[in-house]
Amino acid sequence: MKELLLVYVAYVIAAGSPGPSTMAIMSVAMGQGRRPALALAAGVITMSFTWGLIAATGLSALLARYAQALVVLKIAGGLYLLWLAFKSARAALRSEATSIAVPREHPNASALYRRGVLMHLGNPKSVLSWLAIMTLGVGPHASTGRVAAAFLGCVALGIILFGGYALLFSTGPMVRGYARARRWIEGTLAVVFAGAGVKLLTIR
């Protein structure tokens, strides 16, 4: 039981700490509403737990043999994050008058879901984080039941965490706060995306 608790605590710290995905969910929740934010969160959850399943089933060792494919994913993910940084920076530089004059596009749930998937698909380092969390708590010789309990528990925690961000930051006070600090929020998001993108492109 202590081992599983260690897994859950480690996952909450890793997944719940501020990063590109959580910041993106917050921004979409405040700027576009609850449903779009939940769509983005669903994409993040899908790919996050795909990496988790790979780690839990031992397929990460197989992926290590295809290092070139992982490098391609890393480069594509870094470039995608830089593209998101550019879009956020452009939104931050847009004046309030321009923002009001230009009608906001109706948020596309499918596009937001794909965006969440791509943010995690382009970060193969996520599988290493999952592998570290699983190894930390269940060990290399753990039973199938313990591994399943660790994985499914993290799945439930992830749904609560990412879905919770979408619900919390789409409330009235948060939306009004976004309206007042839109440029600062978008600017911060641009910095976060840019930093994550550069890190993916340069890390060895």
Side-chain angles (χ1 to χ4, degrees):
M1 187 62 187
K2 290 182 179 179
E3 292 82 1
L4 289 177
L5 182 60
L6 186 61
V7 170
Y8 300 151
V9 171
Y11 178 79
V12 168
I13 293 172
S17 57
S21 297
T22 54
M23 291 288 290
I25 292 171
M26 293 177 196
S27 177
V28 169
M30 291 185 289
Q32 299 183 25
R34 182 167 299 171
R35 288 186 179 181
L38 287 173
L40 178 64
V44 171
I45 291 167
T46 298
M47 198 60 226
S48 174
F49 299 127
T50 299
W51 287 125
L53 188 60
I54 288 171
T57 55
L59 290 176
S60 54
L62 180 63
L63 282 178
R65 298 181 182 179
Y66 299 93
Q68 291 181 343
L70 291 178
V71 169
V72 170
L73 276 180
K74 185 179 74 169
I75 293 173
L79 293 175
Y80 183 69
L81 286 171
L82 290 178
W83 166 245
L84 293 179
F86 168 75
K87 292 180 67 176
S88 295
R90 186 174 59 182
L93 293 173
R94 190 169 59 232
S95 67
E96 296 296 334
T98 304
S99 180
I100 295 172
V102 177
R104 180 179 298 232
E105 295 181 1
H106 185 71
N108 187 309
S110 297
L112 287 165
Y113 176 81
R114 289 194 299 270
R115 175 178 167 184
V117 169
L118 288 172
M119 279 194 296
H120 265 44
L121 176 63
N123 186 11
K125 295 290 181 181
S126 296
V127 73
L128 300 179
S129 299
W130 264 98
L131 186 61
I133 290 171
M134 299 295 286
T135 302
L136 178 69
V138 300
H141 305 295
S143 66
T144 301
R146 178 170 291 185
V147 172
F151 173 71
L152 293 176
C154 289
V155 169
L157 288 171
I159 293 172
I160 293 171
L161 282 170
F162 294 119
Y165 276 121
L167 295 175
L168 174 62
F169 284 86
S170 61
T171 57
M174 292 295 183
V175 172
R176 289 190 291 272
Y178 175 84
R180 291 192 297 269
R182 178 190 63 82
R183 300 182 75 174
W184 286 102
I185 292 171
E186 293 292 347
T188 300
L189 197 60
V191 172
V192 171
F193 280 143
V198 170
K199 184 177 180 180
L200 262 184
L201 291 172
T202 57
I203 196 171
R204 298 293 182 183

